[in-house]
Amino acid sequence: METRITELLQIKYPIIQGGMAWVAEHNLAAAVSQAGGFGLIGAANAPAEVVREEIRKARELTDRPFGVNIMLLSPHAAEVAQVVIEEHVPAVTTGAGNPEKYMEQWKEAGIKVIPVIASVALARRMERCGADAVVAEGMESGGHIGSLTTMTLVPQVVDAVKIPVIAAGGIGDGRGFAAARMLGAEAVQMGTRFVVAKESIVHANYKERILKAKDIDTEVTGQSHGHPVRGLRNQMTREYTRLEKEGATFEELEYLTLGSLRRAVMEGDVKKGTVMAGQIAGLISKEQTCGEMLEEIMKEAEQLLCQK
Ligand code: TUI
């Protein structure tokens, strides 16, 4: 299936892996790219030199192209923006902010720039300042989210811009992929499904929570201070919600979640840690290799999209 995204990123399948903090490290990114999709190293809050090492380690595992996701709230975002240039990364996605100030230097270096956006206004703005594509991410996603659903956001962004649109949020199988194509998207980005990939280094407890999750098991915390984050409900989200209702300050809530994603992903503390996941977790029921996932999704999607 060829689209402007397979052409832009030089990949076989129009499927991009989300740039998930702690989860999207070199093993996962390389496995997704090796399987024909587009893997991403999630820079999250990591220092620039850690990101550089991750890029180099991924290069040892695959000759195929992969990218880096830059989380713009990171204190290291500016240095990471420079590292992707020095390391000749072919494409960058950005999240949780407006990447305008980096755009010129990336374009000059020949890097394809794909901002993740949650509104038509930001999609338009990104197109005007030279973005090659956008990821339109609905609030079904795990992690930091906007307020529109994928179903409503994607077609409105598709109508508003000429650059290709990648749909994200709530997509976990061939049906989701086909639906995104019907909305006008030229690729999909998936996160939660890749968390449980065999090549994913995520702790078994975290994977098990996703594999056992039901449709209604995610919750959004952080609405009160403007940084809504979706994850699986647990002791941490209950405590957070209680404090939020009691009017806790931003600092108090930040303190509660300090290091909590790392504790869940790396140490398997799925009770007091933060288990970021999207609403599609309830659909995800098996651990497979990235290759098996991509083949299965594409086969199902092609059957659906070719039906008369
Ligand atoms: O960035 C994400 N997902 C993330 S980042 C992250 S780390 C984090 N943890 C706690 C709090 C904040 C961050 C975990 N998950 N997805 C991409 C995304 N970007 N979704 C929504 C947005 C977005 C939101 C507002 C992009 C731009 C924006 O406004 C920009 C502006 O300044 O107008």
Side-chain angles (χ1 to χ4, degrees):
M1 189 181 293
E2 286 178 11
T3 70
R4 284 186 289 170
I5 295 295
T6 56
E7 173 74 21
L8 181 76
L9 298 176
Q10 293 290 297
I11 50 177
K12 185 171 172 199
Y13 302 132
I15 299 180
I16 292 161
Q17 168 232 318
M20 303 162 282
W22 290 102
V23 175
E25 47 68 73
H26 65 275
N27 291 292
L28 185 63
V32 171
S33 288
Q34 192 61 26
F38 197 72
L40 286 175
I41 289 167
N45 281 315
E49 289 314 306
V50 172
V51 179
R52 193 194 302 281
E53 277 309 303
E54 285 294 309
I55 295 167
R56 292 183 178 177
K57 284 180 191 162
R59 286 235 168 89
E60 283 172 22
L61 298 175
T62 185
D63 294 331
R64 305 257 176 102
F66 60 86
V68 171
N69 171 269
I70 302 183
M71 207 277 283
L72 296 164
L73 292 173
S74 165
H76 307 290
E79 299 134 62
V80 175
Q82 194 55 40
V83 162
V84 295
I85 296 172
E86 289 162 14
E87 296 296 317
H88 305 288
V89 170
V92 160
T93 69
T94 62
N98 178 346
E100 227 164 292
K101 65 176 177 186
Y102 304 116
M103 219 76 146
E104 206 176 297
Q105 64 189 91
W106 287 336
K107 300 303 299 174
E108 243 169 56
I111 296 179
K112 309 289 185 226
V113 185
I114 310 179
V116 179
I117 53 88
S119 69
V120 164
L122 194 59
R124 283 210 175 101
R125 194 167 173 140
M126 294 298 97
E127 177 174 59
R128 271 202 307 275
C129 63
D132 295 279
V134 286
V135 176
E137 189 183 275
M139 52 80 86
E140 296 92 325
S141 302
H144 178 59
I145 52 172
S147 57
L148 291 177
T149 60
T150 303
M151 181 76 116
T152 56
L153 177 67
V154 172
Q156 294 187 74
V157 172
V158 166
D159 284 352
V161 297
K162 293 196 176 67
I163 52 177
V165 176
I166 299 161
I171 301 166
D173 65 6
R175 291 170 297 178
F177 180 104
R181 295 284 285 139
M182 291 286 106
L183 295 176
E186 294 185 51
V188 300
Q189 177 184 280
M190 298 194 309
T192 308
R193 178 125 187 215
F194 285 124
V195 174
V196 303
K198 285 200 172 140
E199 298 91 339
S200 151
I201 52 90
V202 169
H203 195 285
N205 295 353
Y206 199 121
K207 288 187 180 181
E208 189 182 68
R209 276 240 44 201
I210 290 179
L211 293 168
K212 290 195 172 154
K214 296 193 298 294
D215 53 353
I216 56 171
D217 285 352
T218 72
E219 188 174 10
V220 179
T221 52
Q223 297 271 26
S224 62
H225 58 78
H227 285 295
V229 169
R230 183 183 299 283
L232 291 173
R233 193 178 297 106
N234 62 2
Q235 199 177 314
M236 159 65 91
T237 63
R238 285 195 188 95
E239 173 74 359
Y240 196 108
T241 304
R242 188 180 63 78
L243 288 172
E244 238 181 334
K245 278 188 187 140
E246 287 171 6
T249 63
F250 176 70
E251 286 73 24
E252 284 165 330
L253 293 167
E254 276 288 288
Y255 185 72
L256 178 69
T257 53
L258 207 65
S260 65
L261 180 63
R262 189 195 58 78
R263 281 202 306 281
V265 173
M266 306 303 283
E267 293 165 19
D269 182 358
V270 293
K271 290 198 172 84
K272 292 185 196 150
T274 296
V275 187
M276 290 184 188
Q279 289 185 320
I280 205 66
L283 191 88
I284 295 165
S285 55
K286 53 186 190 278
E287 198 176 356
Q288 295 168 301
T289 65
C290 293
E292 287 164 350
M293 285 180 187
L294 295 191
E295 300 287 336
E296 184 182 288
I297 291 165
M298 290 310 299
K299 190 168 161 216
E300 190 183 7
E302 270 161 3
Q303 272 167 5
L304 290 167
L305 293 166
C306 291
Q307 272 169 13
K308 293 249 163 60

